Amino acid sequence: QLQLQESGPGLVKPSETLSLTCSVSGGSITSRSHYWGWIRQPPGKGLEWVGGSYYSGPIYHNPSLKSRVTISVDTSKNQLSLKLTSVSAADTAVYFCARLGDTLTTPRVAFDIWGQGTMVTVSS
Amino acid sequence: QSALTQPASVSGSPGQSITISCTGTSSDVGDYDFVSWYRQHPGKAPKLLIYEVTNRPSGVSNRFSGSKSGNTASLTISGLQAEDEADYYCTSYTISSTYVIFGGGTTLTVL
């Protein structure tokens, strides 16, 4: 059974870089039918698409974050990573990783498997 | 890019039915049958309820159903139960460069 697990520091200082990892177990991140994405949720607010990547590209980003976001896939470690630069308090959120189907494989363009999420607080 | 539009809140009594709408544009909901719905309880990860407008994943109750008309998709929950009290989100494929777009979320209160 495929499982996702986010990990990373829970506290990041303003202006620094937030780095998170999503480890995939019970399956391969090199699936030809799925993207792997990051979604975040500020406290008390809704879900926000950060971005996602196929294991060999392309990569999609939320336009509002695009200049600060780097998403990459490490196939040797079966991991997805997220780097968000120049963070501020507005980046405080629970960060989820999730598997996202492509347009050809059911469930198409749906997040069918989620990690439990990891809380990241931006504060000095 | 604007999010899909959902009502902020809906409510219903146990046993009743409610419907949550999700309005987009011809760039997303209107032209593509790739609308999904999720339920999220406090402190938990979202769970997929409906995909491709009308389909339920294995294990999801048939009390949940989806539909679409024009640029608006809808989630209907019948036979409301206390456990349905949660936040609900829609997503859609979008032709824009982001690939997927989220709704703002709807809080369902079971009275």
Side-chain angles (χ1 to χ4, degrees), chain A residues 42-113:
Chain A
K45 296 188 178 180
L47 301 171
E48 179 184 27
W49 174 234
V50 175
S53 178
Y54 192 59
Y55 81 96
S56 60
I59 299 174
Y60 298 96
H61 298 103
N62 184 325
S64 66
L65 302 172
K66 185 175 182 179
S67 62
R68 298 194 292 128
V69 169
T70 300
I71 294 173
S72 60
V73 172
D74 187 333
T75 57
S76 66
K77 295 181 179 179
N78 226 29
Q79 290 178 340
L80 174 75
S81 69
L82 168 69
K83 292 188 187 301
L84 182 64
T85 61
S86 304
V87 298
S88 69
D91 296 309
T92 293
V94 175
Y95 285 76
F96 296 98
C97 66
R99 190 176 77 168
L100 173 63
D102 64 14
T103 57
L104 299 177
T105 304
T106 295
R108 294 183 289 178
V109 198
F111 296 96
D112 62 341
I113 299 174

Side-chain angles (χ1 to χ4, degrees), chain B residues 65-107:
Chain B
S65 61
S67 62
K68 191 183 85 167
S69 177
N71 293 338
T72 298
S74 299
L75 172 72
T76 297
I77 308 174
S78 60
L80 271 179
Q81 300 178 0
E83 68 189 44
D84 296 328
E85 187 160 291
D87 293 325
Y88 292 81
Y89 295 89
C90 62
T91 64
S92 173
Y93 169 79
T94 171
I95 199 173
S96 78
S97 61
T98 64
Y99 186 75
V100 67
I101 187 171
F102 277 78
T106 298
T107 297

Side-chain angles (χ1 to χ4, degrees), chain B residues 12-17 79-82 109-111:
Chain B
S13 299
Q16 288 186 333
S17 295
L80 271 179
Q81 300 178 0
T109 301
V110 180
L111 302 171

